[in-house]
Amino acid sequence: MAEPIDIWLFLELLPFSQEVGATAWFPFVESIHVLSIVLMLGAILMVDLRILGLSAMPYSAAQLLREFVPWSAVGFVIASVTGVIMFMTRAATHIENPAFQIKLLLLLLGGINIVCFHFREKALLAHDSVAVDIPISAKIHAALSLSIWIGVMVAGRWVGHVV
């Protein structure tokens, strides 16, 4: 009877994965990954700190949402593509790595937090007035966002160090 195909090992053995993992492509992709994360998190940080009332107070939360959410989305898309490429080079190892598993869980929680915020809180911040009283629920989402994304970064940094 034939052995079932291990999808993770299959990904690792693809010629594309082998080429990226064994050449200068890997550090290039990793550098783009890090830069896109900086773009994404910088934008998220600006919005979250404004919602929490800790930064950018001369600007309305609505203005920062309009200006920074597209940047965070672009950063997320690029980080996701480069992350998948890096994952493919050692898929079977990464999938069993507790740090990687925590990172995936936190990414899922971050996505849920973003969806909840955009469907439940964003409308409450739609006014361009700086004096808009920001609801505590929006502040909770912002604090969760900061905590979750810090966790994603820490877990991501540990992926290469936990065996």
Side-chain angles (χ1 to χ4, degrees), residues 4-5 8 14 16 18 21 28 37 48 56 65-66 72 86 97 107-108 113 123 128 132 143 147 161:
I5 296 174
W8 310 120
L14 288 173
F16 174 78
Q18 296 286 307
F28 176 74
I37 289 168
D48 287 346
L65 281 164
R66 273 193 316 276
S72 66
M86 291 189 309
N97 185 322
L107 281 168
L108 176 64
N113 188 53
D128 272 328
V132 168
S147 301
H161 303 285

Side-chain angles (χ1 to χ4, degrees), residues 19-75:
E19 178 68 20
V20 171
T23 65
W25 277 109
F26 189 88
F28 176 74
V29 170
E30 186 175 30
S31 297
I32 299 301
H33 187 69
V34 169
L35 291 171
S36 63
I37 289 168
V38 169
L39 175 65
M40 179 187 76
L41 290 183
I44 290 171
L45 183 67
M46 288 300 296
V47 172
D48 287 346
L49 290 178
R50 171 58 185 96
I51 290 171
L52 290 169
L54 299 173
S55 180
M57 296 308 289
Y59 303 97
S60 71
Q63 180 182 0
L64 290 183
L65 281 164
R66 273 193 316 276
E67 293 181 10
F68 285 108
V69 167
W71 289 104
S72 66
V74 167

Side-chain angles (χ1 to χ4, degrees), residues 90-104:
R90 295 184 61 206
T93 304
H94 286 320
I95 204 68
E96 294 179 357
N97 185 322
F100 184 76
Q101 294 168 357
I102 290 168
K103 179 179 179 175
L104 288 182

